[in-house]
Amino acid sequence: MRVISIMKIINNKEEVLGEVLEGIMFTQPDAYIRMINEFSYILYRKNMDDKKVKIIASGGAGRGPLFEGFAGEGLADAVVTGDFNCAPNAYALYDVARTIDRGRGILFLTNNYAGDYLNNDMAVELLSKEGISSGMVLVSDDIFSARGEPKDKRGGLSGIGILIKIASAAAEDGLSLEEVLRITQKANDRIRTAAVCMNDDLDLMEFGAGFSGEAPVITEKFQSADRLAESAIEKIMGELDSYQGGRIYLNVNRMRQMMYVEGYVVLMSLKRKLEKKGYSLIGASVGGYYDAYDANGCIISLLSADSELEKYIKPAKGYDFTI
Amino acid sequence: MKRLHVIKMKKMLENASRMIAANEPYLTEVDTAIGDGDHGTGMKRGFSALYKMLERQEFYEWDTLCGAAGIELVKSMGGASGVIFGTLFIGGIDRLPHESSCSLTEIADYFMEGEKAIERRGKAKAGQKTMLDALLPAVEALKKGADTGMEIEDAFFYAYNAALKGAEDSKGMESKVGRSKNFRESVLGLPDPGAISTSLIFKAFYEELVSR
């Protein structure tokens, strides 16, 4: 897989994922506890608020900050990954959940892939056998996966980062598990994401290519950031316009080869185009949250928020990013 | 025999663990042709962990034994297989007595519930080239055995043969769920690795049951 083969400056592959967690803990002393599990990687926060629903985000490893870097105030209470590109096992999810639950329940957030779904679903069952309530939201923001099929068949990309902070804000508001689930599910219903990779040799922009080498769905000539923004907005808003009156939250995820400055250029192009079309914006973030694509390009997420969701959308800071 | 003691069931699980571990090369070979080639090593890792756990722990009740066996598989395997085979042992746990002996009806209901739990969780049915193609006929044979008052050994004999036939039948099926669906028609003629694993488990159960 590309995500593994591209890694070069390492000592040996088996130690990489453990070093990520140890490194995160070293940079932020007293913030985390690492739980040892032979086949998964688990980090949870110290000093959590006992009176709230706990958020556990999980997925394949090695594409950080999602997921290794997403535990923190305003974000997830625990993050769990499996091996590179592999879901963590259900026992690891269950084990950290029962460790951090203080009676208000657990919300699992993961992208909608078979391995992630199966293991999170099993964790929910194992917890219920112990009387711990939990639920999961399967994030399906990628508009180019499972084309022509219902939204719940789609996979997830970097939109999960936004859903994590929404779930976290709702939980910190003291809401019940049922309410946090409902709000997070609503956010998933109203978020859409498009990945666009640059083909520099042919000067093309390729929409919807998968990070494991799946072919792009739509290819267009690259002209400018403005044109890229316009094209992305058309594809995404075509699905979101049914949510009338929604105000837009905007996120640009830089791929590995996209420059810091380009991220902001695309962000401002998106802002201008959206405003010109009459959409009202409530906030935005730019960063390298999801490091899956070894390409130049970006992943653009738009969320059409109603007034309830808007309450829970505010900047959240990880150690090395803001979303 | 009309009732099965928990000590015997423990031995059956140990034998299944040995059987899976011994067949790892074969499972790997089949999965390399049809999937991503990790089914054999994953199953061996899970069932070796199960064997070690059974070796160091005593069990006095059926539900405790089968629940612990399922958890051990989930814990050590990861991926889809860990959940699927873990669900086989955990899904129907409520049907088992918290006692040292168990009737064929209870055993059949237990595996039937496990099969249904896998269908629900995996959103799959028999006929789609999955482990269910071996499991469903096996649990139906157990259920039929229970309903007709068979001896436990005989019911497991029919269950094993039904699983074996199911795994064989999976050769002619097109893949609709799971990893191998990406290979579509090219999987015709090849059996499903999960169905083979399932038939091996029932083979081991039966052989241990009739051994002295």
Side-chain angles (χ1 to χ4, degrees):
Chain A
M1 271 175 244
R2 284 159 98 183
V3 73
I4 299 173
S5 62
I6 202 76
M7 274 192 325
K8 179 154 179 145
I9 311 176
I10 60 169
N11 298 306
N12 78 65
K13 210 184 87 190
E14 281 66 40
E15 287 169 6
V16 171
L17 296 174
E19 296 222 318
V20 174
L21 298 195
E22 297 299 326
I24 288 172
M25 293 172 77
F26 181 54
T27 58
Q28 301 165 86
D30 289 326
Y32 300 114
I33 295 170
R34 182 180 175 189
M35 251 180 120
I36 297 300
N37 174 292
E38 207 183 331
F39 306 105
S40 296
Y41 299 86
I42 311 168
L43 214 54
Y44 67 89
R45 291 172 60 204
K46 276 186 185 173
N47 310 319
M48 284 175 280
D49 177 1
D50 281 351
K51 294 188 287 294
K52 71 177 201 69
V53 172
K54 298 297 191 325
I55 314 295
I56 300 180
S58 68
R63 301 170 188 163
L66 281 167
F67 292 88
E68 294 89 332
F70 258 75
E73 198 178 340
L75 298 167
D77 297 298
V79 284
V80 189
T81 72
D83 207 334
F84 289 97
N85 285 342
C86 295
N89 74 55
Y91 188 84
L93 292 162
Y94 152 81
D95 206 15
V96 68
R98 65 177 178 170
T99 305
I100 66 174
D101 177 60
R102 295 291 179 274
R104 300 280 330 257
I106 301 285
L107 172 74
F108 290 106
L109 256 167
T110 191
N111 275 337
N112 188 28
Y113 296 110
D116 289 305
Y117 154 69
L118 286 168
N119 282 283
N120 279 268
D121 191 57
M122 179 114 213
V124 170
E125 183 191 329
L126 294 175
L127 289 168
S128 82
K129 285 185 193 294
E130 286 190 16
I132 299 174
S133 40
S134 66
M136 65 175 166
V137 173
L138 296 165
V139 185
S140 55
D141 56 324
D142 182 359
I143 61 168
F144 291 114
S145 74
R147 296 263 284 171
E149 291 188 58
K151 185 171 186 292
D152 65 4
K153 301 269 188 223
R154 292 177 177 175
L157 287 170
S158 45
I160 192 171
I162 302 164
L163 267 56
I164 290 170
K165 76 169 181 172
I166 291 173
S168 177
E172 265 159 40
D173 211 21
L175 299 185
S176 66
L177 174 62
E178 210 174 37
E179 285 290 279
V180 178
L181 264 169
R182 180 184 62 75
I183 287 164
T184 311
Q185 186 59 52
K186 177 157 76 174
N188 183 49
D189 293 342
R190 302 175 71 127
I191 192 170
R192 298 290 185 283
T193 295
V196 53
C197 300
M198 302 306 301
N199 180 333
D200 289 331
D201 296 340
L202 302 171
D203 217 21
L204 299 173
M205 43 189 194
E206 302 179 332
F207 286 89
F211 49 75
S212 314
E214 295 90 340
V217 177
I218 298 170
T219 299
E220 294 169 8
K221 193 85 187 155
F222 176 77
Q223 289 168 345
S224 64
D226 273 347
R227 193 56 211 113
L228 184 152
E230 188 147 11
S231 185
I233 289 168
E234 265 167 38
K235 293 169 179 60
I236 295 174
M237 293 312 295
E239 293 200 11
L240 282 183
D241 277 340
S242 57
Y243 296 107
Q244 288 185 355
R247 301 217 300 150
I248 305 296
Y249 181 83
L250 160 62
N251 175 268
V252 177
N253 182 90
R254 293 191 306 269
M255 289 178 185
R256 238 175 269 162
Q257 298 170 26
M258 190 191 208
M259 289 172 70
Y260 181 87
V261 293
E262 290 171 301
Y264 284 101
V265 171
V266 170
L267 177 75
M268 293 314 286
S269 290
L270 288 163
K271 174 179 183 290
R272 274 192 305 273
K273 297 285 171 192
L274 283 164
E275 283 173 346
K276 205 174 149 199
K277 286 177 192 287
Y279 297 107
S280 142
L281 299 186
I282 52 173
S285 43
V286 185
Y289 314 98
Y290 191 61
D291 200 14
Y293 287 82
D294 179 33
N296 184 15
C298 54
I299 307 175
I300 295 166
S301 298
L302 302 179
L303 188 151
S304 174
D306 62 1
S307 55
E308 184 185 42
L309 283 176
E310 215 177 299
K311 264 200 315 194
Y312 301 112
I313 299 180
K314 41 196 165 192
K317 287 184 196 308
Y319 155 68
D320 51 2
F321 64 86
T322 302
I323 188 163
Chain B
M1 139 187 12
K2 293 291 182 197
R3 295 190 72 82
L4 195 57
H5 198 273
V6 67
I7 292 175
K8 192 66 174 171
M9 184 60 199
K10 185 173 175 235
K11 285 186 176 161
M12 288 159 68
L13 287 166
E14 286 170 353
N15 197 38
S17 303
R18 282 190 294 265
M19 183 77 77
I20 292 289
N23 281 280
E24 183 267 316
Y26 173 48
L27 293 171
T28 297
E29 188 191 318
V30 177
D31 193 44
T32 303
I34 199 174
D36 41 18
D38 61 358
H39 180 74
T41 48
M43 290 293 281
K44 184 180 178 179
R45 190 169 73 207
F47 281 83
S48 301
L50 172 58
Y51 190 83
K52 278 192 205 125
M53 185 279 285
L54 293 170
E55 248 185 351
R56 62 173 185 258
Q57 232 174 299
E58 296 295 329
F59 289 94
Y60 305 96
E61 305 93 13
W62 266 80
D63 56 348
T64 320
L65 169 69
C66 293
I71 286 285
E72 197 58 38
L73 294 176
V74 172
K75 210 175 182 172
S76 56
M77 276 160 79
S81 296
V83 176
I84 300 291
F85 284 88
T87 302
L88 169 59
F89 291 105
I90 296 170
I93 203 86
D94 296 340
R95 300 300 177 112
L96 288 176
H98 190 62
E99 283 168 27
S100 63
S101 99
C102 192
S103 71
L104 181 55
T105 302
E106 288 167 321
I107 296 169
D109 286 347
Y110 163 64
F111 280 114
M112 189 61 100
E113 277 303 309
E115 193 273 342
K116 282 188 199 149
I118 295 172
E119 279 190 24
R120 272 197 306 274
R121 177 159 288 142
K123 296 170 182 153
K125 290 205 170 306
Q128 298 176 326
K129 205 178 189 88
T130 69
M131 60 87 76
L132 292 172
D133 296 319
L135 183 60
L136 181 64
V139 298
E140 280 174 348
L142 287 180
K143 188 84 184 118
K144 194 176 167 199
D147 292 347
T148 55
M150 259 185 218
E151 297 292 311
I152 289 177
E153 298 90 321
D154 294 339
F156 269 92
F157 172 77
Y158 288 115
Y160 155 47
N161 279 285
L164 200 62
K165 181 172 181 301
E168 187 63 26
D169 289 348
S170 75
K171 283 182 181 174
M173 294 173 189
E174 234 183 275
S175 187
K176 296 212 170 58
V177 290
R179 184 67 199 231
S180 67
K181 76 169 184 294
N182 302 330
F183 297 76
R184 296 279 174 187
E185 279 93 27
S186 63
V187 301
L188 283 174
L190 297 165
D192 179 69
I196 293 184
S197 288
T198 306
S199 72
L200 288 169
I201 290 168
F202 276 91
K203 178 178 190 218
F205 282 172
Y206 170 68
E207 287 180 359
E208 179 61 37
L209 204 46
V210 294
S211 79
R212 294 250 142 222

